[in-house]
Amino acid sequence: MHEAAETLLDELTERYVVDRREAKEPVGPEPGAEVVRTVRLVPRSPAAGPLSIAFTDFPGVVLRLGRWFLEPLPDCGCDDCGEDPALLVTDLRARVAAHVEGGLWERVRRGLTSSWLETRLIGSGLRTSRQAPIEAAEARAARREGFAAPVQWAPWPLRAP
């Protein structure tokens, strides 16, 4: 997964107008693995959503798209699950392609007793949506930043040929 993710990041950096930042910060709750390093691509258009890939010592990756879409690859990693590395790479590329083409939608929704975050990712052959509870402080911050209404991230700007 590390090699495939590194190749994908290099391709994205060459094709799109983005700033590339490297650190050793997690992108979210890591599933029992320590982060070796994190690469974050931030489009120079503020309407386009960021992308982060955390490389774990598993060796796997954790993909973060926009503000809340989080996907560990592989999801489990135990021998019984036997996740196919080729399929994981295909999933990684499909999710990233949907995001850079403007297919990620996010928002915070208020409930009676708490708030929820919602994400939808739609791309070629891909349609996934998720809901999860969100802490009150993060929900307030997200609403201040415009996430009370649905936010659809714009496509990433292409580099001039």
Side-chain angles (χ1 to χ4, degrees):
M1 283 306 298
H2 284 197
E3 186 177 322
E6 190 65 53
T7 299
L8 178 59
L9 288 165
D10 290 343
E11 291 170 6
L12 293 169
T13 302
E14 289 175 22
R15 184 167 188 205
Y16 297 97
V17 181
V18 296
D19 291 321
R20 183 174 177 149
R21 302 176 186 148
E22 299 201 24
K24 193 181 173 184
E25 62 193 26
V27 297
E30 312 308 332
E34 186 172 324
V35 172
V36 176
R37 72 186 180 106
T38 299
V39 178
R40 182 174 168 93
L41 300 182
V42 181
R44 292 203 185 141
S45 167
L51 172 152
S52 298
I53 296 180
F55 294 79
T56 66
D57 63 354
F58 177 62
V61 298
V62 179
L63 174 67
R64 180 174 213 134
L65 307 174
R67 185 173 183 136
W68 295 297
F69 188 92
L70 200 63
E71 183 85 23
L73 297 164
D75 187 38
C76 177
C78 74
D79 291 337
D80 291 338
C81 290
E83 293 174 281
D84 182 356
L87 290 176
L88 293 172
V89 171
T90 300
D91 286 349
L92 173 66
R93 286 187 165 274
R95 282 161 174 66
V96 168
H99 177 55
V100 301
E101 292 168 2
L104 180 62
W105 173 94
E106 300 180 293
R107 81 170 182 165
V108 171
R109 181 175 48 87
R110 279 189 185 171
L112 293 175
T113 59
S114 62
S115 294
W116 293 80
L117 64 88
E118 296 179 337
T119 62
R120 289 186 192 149
L121 184 62
I122 300 168
S124 179
L126 174 71
R127 184 178 187 96
T128 182
S129 61
R130 300 177 181 163
Q131 295 183 25
I134 187 171
E135 292 182 16
E138 186 176 356
R140 283 190 300 275
R143 282 192 287 275
R144 278 193 306 271
E145 294 170 19
F147 284 89
V151 170
Q152 181 170 2
W153 293 106
W156 283 15
L158 290 167
R159 289 197 183 276

